[in-house]
Amino acid sequence: GISPESIMSRATLMASFPAASTVSMLGELYNVSPDLASQQVGMTTLLSCATMPLVVLGANGLISWLL
């Protein structure tokens, strides 16, 4: 079966992903700050390169400590 550690690790990883490009597409569709939405998608993508490994490391440490 699937272990609780595996489920928690995957959920944490998915939560640390950058914003989806759908945000900028909806901004364009509804004409609500499409430029700002595009900038935010780009910024979260760049920041996730640094934060994602930290989140995964922290989550693995926390999970192993709890379980």
Side-chain angles (χ1 to χ4, degrees):
I2 299 174
S3 69
E5 295 92 357
S6 176
I7 293 171
M8 289 169 58
S9 294
R10 290 179 183 171
T12 303
L13 182 63
M14 289 171 47
S16 68
F17 284 154
S21 59
T22 309
V23 173
S24 59
M25 288 187 262
L26 288 173
E28 184 73 34
L29 178 66
Y30 294 109
N31 198 23
V32 179
S33 303
D35 294 335
L36 179 62
S38 296
Q39 289 173 359
Q40 295 302 317
V41 170
M43 185 179 305
T44 60
T45 302
L46 287 174
L47 290 175
S48 72
C49 293
T51 58
M52 193 178 299
L54 296 174
V55 168
V56 170
L57 256 163
N60 285 337
L62 182 63
I63 290 168
S64 65
W65 181 74
L66 290 173
L67 305 175

